[in-house]
Amino acid sequence: MTFPEPQPATDCGCDTSDPLGAMIPLEKAFDLIDSVAVPVAGTERVALVRAHGRVLAEPVSAAAMVPPFHSSAMDGYAVCCAELEGDGPWILPVADRIAAGHSARQPLPRMASARILTGAPVPPGADAVVMQEHVRRDAGAIVLSNRPVPGETIRHAGEDMRAGDMVLAPGCRLTSKEIAACAAAGSATVSVHRRVRVALLVTGDEVEPVPGQKTVAGINDVNSPMLVSELQSQGADLVSVNLVGDDPEELASAIRTLSARADILLTTGGVSVGDADLVPRVFRDIGGQIEFDRVAIKPGKPVTFGRLGQVLWLGLPGNPVAAFVGWRLFGARLMARLGGLAAPAPVMRRAVLAEDLQHHPGRCEFWPASIVGVDPDGRTLVSCPDSTNSAAVAQLASADGFVVIAADRQRISEGELVDFLPAK
């Protein structure tokens, strides 16, 4: 999807006007992140059984042929096709029985067969396996009516992997299917990039750390547990979770301390335009450089990105829904880049809109949506509630994701293809 350039448009600061036109489009924000974020230094070797979710740092090559020998693809009878003269039927004595994990006791005798089970090595002298359903057993022999062809029902040595073949390239995330390929290739351990170290700093005098024990003017800390869950799902090394109030000295101290321990400093709150939105100013005062500080999206307009020495800072709005959208758009991308992922998965996927939507042009918007079925062509069908509220966490919990409305669109019609940002 191409996100059009924003036009000046009239909660986390998401609804405030931007008369100077200082917002940047979403794609520009992505480009700025990509230009700054490089994979973290350092690798480690881990056991394959502990490698799920890690990013491969070195290629995995096959140690030997896979399969290592010619084997039977099904239960049946091994035969030599060249010995079957005439038109048949042929009566072949059963000279051996070969199970998986065992070898033939002898080469296949002339004009004989061997009972063979799935995965067992094909005996020397045989060049086909006839499925058991295609023969008739008669005492100690089989009756074969149809002529097999060489190679029938045989898995050939090396047909999956040859010794030295590169099975996986660096930069892929290891899930169950990649781990299966590593195991088949003979790798008990793999070299992976070290985990990205993340420090989470939640700001605001109003944020109370313990649910149910807030003051009259306080609110529950939603962002810490929400973002910790997101970071865990991304395989981050979460080095610290801190809360700090709206005090410039405390903010500066926390940012300095956490920046020395992390690759990513992730903050929430304090990035909008209010009197207490101090984080960008403090960040600059202690030597930080800001790459962007307003993006033409809703919710999440005040999202800010910068760097301080070796640490990259992603400042999300305090509004939990805006923080969630900002993390899914920018945080996950940042994690993928620093983690060494060669080809980050697309953020969006396509879906079909179940009803008309009206939109005020100006910014790319993310509307909570539910998957309500499939259309006649089998495409995912999504529906948005009648009203949305960027501060409604309950609405976030019930949403399957967000319909993405481009900045220049005013009306999106039922049945149109739209971009969809999954939330689950």
Side-chain angles (χ1 to χ4, degrees), residues 11 299 319-322 388-395:
D11 215 276
N319 178 321
V321 178
T388 63
N389 181 344
S390 63
V393 181
Q395 194 173 72

Side-chain angles (χ1 to χ4, degrees), residues 4 94 110 113 115 127 177 210 248 301 312 333 335 358 415:
V94 179
R110 189 177 184 283
S113 67
R115 174 64 168 155
D127 61 1
K177 58 188 179 67
V210 182
K301 168 189 166 184
L312 297 179
R333 189 182 191 94
M335 281 288 298
Q358 296 291 330

Side-chain angles (χ1 to χ4, degrees), residues 4-262:
E5 292 289 333
Q7 303 170 25
T10 75
D11 215 276
C12 73
C14 293
D15 288 318
T16 56
S17 62
D18 197 43
L20 300 180
M23 294 184 293
I24 64 170
L26 184 57
E27 286 188 336
K28 177 64 174 176
F30 287 160
D31 289 343
L32 286 169
I33 287 176
D34 292 347
S35 69
V36 172
V38 296
V40 296
T43 62
E44 59 180 324
R45 198 149 201 99
V46 299
L48 195 58
V49 294
R50 299 184 181 279
H52 181 84
R54 304 299 295 271
V55 178
L56 197 62
E58 296 178 3
V60 172
S61 298
M65 292 191 301
V66 180
F69 45 78
H70 300 318
S71 61
S72 179
M74 301 189 74
D75 292 350
Y77 295 87
V79 300
C80 176
C81 297
E83 295 175 354
L84 303 178
E85 299 177 350
D87 295 330
W90 302 274
I91 300 175
L92 305 174
V94 179
D96 200 354
R97 182 183 184 276
I98 313 166
H102 299 270
S103 299
R105 291 174 294 181
Q106 60 182 344
L108 185 69
R110 189 177 184 283
M111 288 302 296
S113 67
R115 174 64 168 155
I116 189 168
L117 304 183
T118 304
V122 176
D127 61 1
V129 172
V130 182
M131 294 169 54
Q132 62 185 16
E133 295 89 341
H134 297 166
V135 306
R136 178 168 58 87
R137 189 70 185 255
D138 185 7
I142 60 169
V143 178
L144 180 60
S145 299
N146 297 313
R147 181 185 297 276
V149 296
E152 183 175 317
T153 323
I154 290 177
R155 297 181 182 134
H156 295 280
E159 70 176 30
D160 190 9
M161 303 177 192
R162 295 278 183 180
D165 284 353
M166 188 172 72
V167 178
L168 292 175
C172 71
R173 190 180 297 281
L174 297 171
T175 65
S176 53
K177 58 188 179 67
E178 288 83 12
I179 287 172
C182 291
S187 297
T189 64
V190 285
S191 176
V192 295
H193 290 278
R194 72 162 172 85
R195 295 184 186 276
V196 178
R197 301 182 187 116
V198 182
L200 174 59
L201 181 62
V202 174
T203 73
D205 288 342
E206 74 280 13
V207 180
E208 301 284 355
V210 182
Q213 297 184 19
K214 60 183 182 296
T215 62
V216 173
I219 61 172
N220 290 330
D221 176 17
V222 175
N223 287 333
S224 290
M226 177 183 73
L227 291 172
V228 165
S229 176
E230 287 289 301
L231 288 163
Q232 288 173 338
S233 71
Q234 289 284 317
D237 178 5
L238 187 58
V239 299
S240 183
V241 180
N242 293 75
L243 273 70
V244 67
D246 297 315
D247 179 271
E249 292 185 2
E250 290 183 5
L251 278 170
S253 177
I255 290 173
R256 284 195 188 97
T257 300
L258 296 176
S259 295
R261 302 175 56 193

Side-chain angles (χ1 to χ4, degrees), residues 1 3 25-27 29-31 33-34 227 230 234 292 295-301 303 314 316-317 321-337 344-349 364-366 402-404 419-423:
M1 174 177 182
F3 298 90
L26 184 57
E27 286 188 336
F30 287 160
D31 289 343
I33 287 176
D34 292 347
L227 291 172
E230 287 289 301
Q234 289 284 317
F292 63 77
V295 181
I297 59 173
K298 180 182 177 182
K301 168 189 166 184
V303 64
L314 181 62
L316 301 176
V321 178
F324 181 88
V325 171
W327 170 260
R328 284 294 175 97
L329 289 173
F330 307 112
R333 189 182 191 94
L334 193 56
M335 281 288 298
R337 300 285 296 184
V347 175
M348 316 288 185
R349 62 188 179 93
C364 174
E365 295 197 24
F366 295 79
F402 298 85
V403 165
V404 186
D419 279 303
F420 181 70
L421 175 68

